[in-house]
Amino acid sequence: MDIKAVREDFPLLKEYGDIAYLDNAATTQKPYFVIEAEKNFYERENANPMRGLYELSQRATDIYEKARESVRDFINAKSTKEIVFTRNATESLNLLAYSYGELLEEGDEIAVTVVEHHSNLIPWQQIAKRKGLAIRWIECEDDGTISEEALKKAISDRTKIVAMTQISNVLGIENDIKKYARIAHEAGAIFVCDGAQSVPHIFVDVEELDVDFLVFSGHKMLGPMGIGVLYGKEKYLEKMPPFLFGGEMIEYVTREDSTWNELPHKFEAGTVNAAGATGLMAAIDYYKRLGFSNIIERENYLSRFAYNILKDIPEVNILGSRDADMHHGIFSFTVDGVHPHDIAEILSSDGICVRAGHHCAQVLMQHMKTMSTARASIAFYNTEEEIERFAESLSTLRRRMGYVK
Amino acid sequence: MSNSFYREIINDHNLRPAHKHELDGANLTLRGVNPSCGDDITLKLLVEDDVVKDGAYTGDGCAISQASADMMLDLVIGKTKDEALDLYRLFDRMIKNEATEEEIEKLEEAGSLIDVSHMPARVKCAVLGWRTMSNMLEGE
């Protein structure tokens, strides 16, 4: 991969060549093609999709549905009926909790791992409170991985849903989703996979994994903010009630009651984000242009490169696995005696962007007995030089905070 | 900015705080938390005859939150309740960039946190101790 040429595709990286952007797990930068696709929609295709019979509206509809097909192909779903556009992974999970939650009965159980992002945790916790369901916690190992035993311990014959992230946004570890979906199915539960960190960085094939639902966000995979995906097996989406009511999600409305549009429109109430979907399609095209396997190879290389440098800085403690390949470019860390917010502030003054805080995973933080960490996360367009700068800056922190070296 | 911001005065109060300890005999205790970043302090004061006779804090947090609480206690111990609350209001105005240089001098070392007025993400760290004190004194 010609990294210099690739960086030329990203206007922000060109504009701010002196910053090292290492917060890719929060959101990625956008290539020119994505920005252009969204702009082009508003300049040339803009009309309300699925409403008008005139040609422009038809074009808007076509491009929106083409984007849906592109997503279907990217994750290898059977049908575009199984691809629901949402705002982001969070909204997809809320849709699931509200809608699938309606099908559950008092005493039913939902098994959730302790490493989940709040978006795969609070929707379940709150539907459980409203409907009298029980949350069962799937504990993790010291490195953050989920063992088969821990999963089996948390499920019973009352378990209706198992919710698990494929790649942790804090530790970067990957769970064996294929195996765990099978175990959930054997117990009579459905399996919900949070793909927010995995879909952008590894091959995710819903047929191969046999998950019942998969959620992810466009903006973490080079796409625009405000467009996300809920994949669901048709048989489940069919029996789920709508999440939001309003325009375009209905079939027939009377004073007394209404019937619902067919999939996936039943779950897409109101005017959709067609420009965002177009941008996401451009992002997927860009993945194909560079070659997804090239991207993965590059990210694995950078991940190992970063791990090997960071592990040799004595005051830096990397959380999670001791195996570089288990990090998928995500490194949460602490620096002895320096609070994560001070870490991020000083790195920022050196032009290095990292996240600090609880990373929307307070249950995991409590489990690890820490309040917060700093986190650096890598994408293929990062460079060795940026990672070296980051490490150099890290090794000056204690001195700059007034500790004598 | 941060290069100069984490200068000796803040580092010193963070690493060698004068008031970070338990306080037996305190008659006011309040916990202050910044949930999003995890600054978490417990402030204890001994207030008699409307005068802050003594004060201390315990807890964890970033250098700004810890140093700010320590500098605040340097300033308010020995002052009346009303004086302490006035200083809180002045500190709050300084952080909002609304105080004059002359006023800021009254804050002594805490005036060094003026730079936080240009660091929106750190405002809540700097005011944590102060806000906790004002909640305590006003709630009394």
Side-chain angles (χ1 to χ4, degrees):
Chain A
M1 189 179 287
D2 178 356
I3 212 62
K4 254 186 141 166
V6 165
R7 287 177 72 90
E8 286 290 304
D9 292 337
F10 289 78
L12 187 136
L13 299 179
K14 274 166 71 181
E15 178 75 24
Y16 304 112
D18 53 342
I19 67 162
Y21 184 76
L22 297 173
D23 195 18
N24 294 286
T27 196
T28 56
Q29 296 305 332
K30 320 302 176 196
Y32 169 81
F33 308 93
V34 168
I35 299 163
E36 200 53 31
E38 214 175 353
K39 180 163 167 273
N40 185 61
F41 178 86
Y42 286 123
E43 285 181 354
R44 293 165 192 281
E45 320 282 352
N46 183 55
N48 203 322
M50 293 169 292
R51 302 299 201 281
L53 290 173
Y54 50 90
E55 200 220 326
L56 195 57
S57 169
Q58 193 54 53
R59 283 226 306 273
T61 309
D62 289 347
I63 196 163
Y64 181 64
E65 291 305 323
K66 203 173 141 198
R68 197 190 307 278
E69 165 56 25
S70 139
V71 170
R72 184 210 64 74
D73 178 63
F74 193 63
I75 60 169
N76 195 31
K78 279 198 180 71
S79 152
T80 50
K81 287 183 180 175
E82 299 179 322
I83 306 296
V84 176
F85 281 125
T86 60
R87 276 197 305 137
N88 44 40
T90 295
E91 187 175 278
S92 300
L93 287 163
N94 276 274
L95 187 164
L96 267 179
Y98 274 94
S99 174
Y100 201 92
E102 278 304 305
L103 307 174
L104 303 186
E105 285 163 13
E106 199 177 328
D108 284 347
E109 294 176 3
I110 301 172
V112 180
T113 87
V114 296
V115 308
E116 297 310 307
H117 187 281
H118 290 162
S119 60
N120 198 20
L121 195 162
I122 305 172
W124 304 120
Q125 180 191 60
Q126 295 301 310
I127 194 78
K129 279 178 75 175
R130 284 197 300 276
K131 302 260 311 179
L133 317 172
I135 297 289
R136 298 280 301 268
W137 291 99
I138 306 168
E139 300 294 338
C140 67
E141 305 296 302
D142 287 344
D143 66 358
T145 50
I146 304 297
S147 69
E148 190 175 331
E149 294 69 39
L151 172 61
K152 285 184 167 161
K153 223 172 132 185
I155 53 184
S156 74
D157 54 2
R158 296 297 317 255
T159 309
K160 292 292 185 286
I161 298 173
V162 175
M164 191 185 292
T165 188
Q166 187 163 19
I167 290 181
S168 157
N169 69 309
V170 179
L171 302 169
I173 49 93
E174 181 182 347
N175 291 314
D176 189 344
I177 294 298
K178 187 177 175 177
K179 181 161 90 184
Y180 293 167
R182 199 184 63 232
I183 291 170
H185 292 153
E186 283 164 5
I190 60 152
F191 193 91
V192 175
C193 177
D194 179 355
Q197 298 296 343
S198 61
V199 173
H201 302 290
I202 61 173
F203 288 109
V204 176
D205 177 328
V206 290
E207 193 169 55
E208 154 85 10
L209 297 177
D210 196 27
V211 293
D212 303 295
F213 295 97
L214 172 78
V215 305
F216 56 99
S217 293
H219 73 92
K220 291 190 201 288
M221 51 179 291
L222 316 177
M225 294 187 181
I227 189 79
V229 174
L230 168 67
Y231 157 81
K233 281 183 185 162
E234 195 177 336
K235 62 177 173 180
Y236 294 122
L237 290 174
E238 278 297 353
K239 67 174 186 183
M240 284 159 57
F243 167 51
L244 298 170
F245 301 99
E248 207 48 49
M249 53 74 64
I250 47 87
E251 178 188 53
Y252 196 68
V253 179
T254 65
R255 289 189 183 204
E256 290 75 33
D257 207 355
S258 305
T259 56
W260 315 129
N261 200 340
E262 59 186 16
L263 290 175
H265 310 291
K266 178 171 91 175
F267 292 107
E268 294 183 357
T271 296
V272 296
N273 183 3
T278 310
L280 178 55
M281 173 164 61
I284 291 172
D285 287 345
Y286 189 74
Y287 271 91
K288 289 178 181 162
R289 180 191 300 237
L290 295 187
F292 201 178
S293 48
N294 296 330
I295 288 176
I296 293 170
E297 194 187 324
R298 165 92 186 159
E299 290 183 339
N300 286 342
Y301 161 73
L302 288 175
S303 194
R304 258 172 263 145
F305 184 84
Y307 184 84
N308 287 329
I309 294 184
L310 295 178
K311 76 170 174 27
D312 289 338
I313 308 174
E315 62 268 30
V316 171
N317 317 296
I318 302 172
L319 278 73
S321 179
R322 298 274 160 267
D323 176 356
D325 288 336
M326 283 302 282
H327 278 275
H328 297 92
I330 295 175
F331 301 97
S332 280
F333 62 94
T334 58
V335 176
D336 293 339
V338 185
H339 190 276
H341 274 201
D342 297 318
I343 298 174
E345 188 80 49
I346 297 181
L347 290 181
S348 167
S349 73
D350 290 349
I352 296 156
C353 311
V354 301
R355 170 98 189 256
H358 50 60
H359 315 294
C360 302
Q362 286 190 6
V363 170
L364 176 59
M365 294 287 142
Q366 289 151 12
H367 176 86
M368 298 190 304
K369 299 189 173 46
T370 178
M371 288 288 278
S372 63
T373 72
R375 179 189 70 185
S377 50
I378 291 165
F380 59 91
Y381 48 66
N382 287 125
T383 64
E384 292 95 323
E385 183 268 331
E386 286 177 317
I387 293 165
E388 282 165 349
R389 263 177 61 199
F390 162 58
E392 237 166 74
S393 182
L394 269 186
S395 48
T396 66
L397 283 183
R398 279 181 60 83
R399 179 171 51 73
R400 287 153 84 179
M401 288 298 294
Y403 293 98
V404 185
K405 265 224 151 170
Chain B
M1 183 202 307
S2 307
N3 270 327
S4 56
F5 179 68
Y6 288 93
R7 53 186 175 225
E8 229 164 285
I9 193 162
I10 288 170
N11 288 342
D12 196 51
H13 278 278
N14 178 43
L15 297 181
R16 287 170 288 278
H19 304 288
K20 190 168 186 171
H21 52 76
E22 290 297 335
L23 186 64
D24 296 334
N27 54 8
L28 289 177
T29 298
L30 192 67
R31 187 174 171 199
V33 180
N34 283 325
S36 63
C37 56
D39 297 329
D40 186 344
I41 64 164
T42 299
L43 185 63
K44 295 188 174 188
L45 296 180
L46 171 65
V47 178
E48 280 171 351
D49 305 325
D50 275 350
V51 173
V52 181
K53 291 271 170 65
D54 204 357
Y57 73 102
T58 54
D60 290 300
C62 66
I64 297 177
S65 68
Q66 305 297 297
S68 183
D70 201 53
M71 291 191 253
M72 174 190 81
L73 286 166
D74 268 353
L75 198 59
V76 301
I77 293 172
K79 299 276 196 308
T80 67
K81 253 176 70 176
D82 287 343
E83 285 168 338
L85 285 168
D86 278 344
L87 288 165
Y88 157 71
R89 283 185 280 268
L90 174 57
F91 184 83
D92 191 54
R93 283 198 295 121
M94 176 186 80
I95 296 295
K96 291 177 180 150
N97 215 2
E98 290 168 0
T100 65
E101 257 177 62
E102 205 185 339
E103 286 177 306
I104 292 170
E105 274 180 26
K106 291 184 202 150
L107 291 172
E108 299 177 14
E109 285 187 330
S112 65
L113 287 163
I114 175 73
D115 288 347
V116 172
S117 63
H118 313 294
M119 299 156 74
R122 309 308 298 276
V123 165
K124 58 185 188 311
C125 312
V127 299
L128 178 64
W130 299 78
R131 204 186 62 215
T132 308
M133 175 188 75
S134 119
N135 287 343
M136 249 160 121
L137 293 179
E138 278 175 350
E140 204 201 359

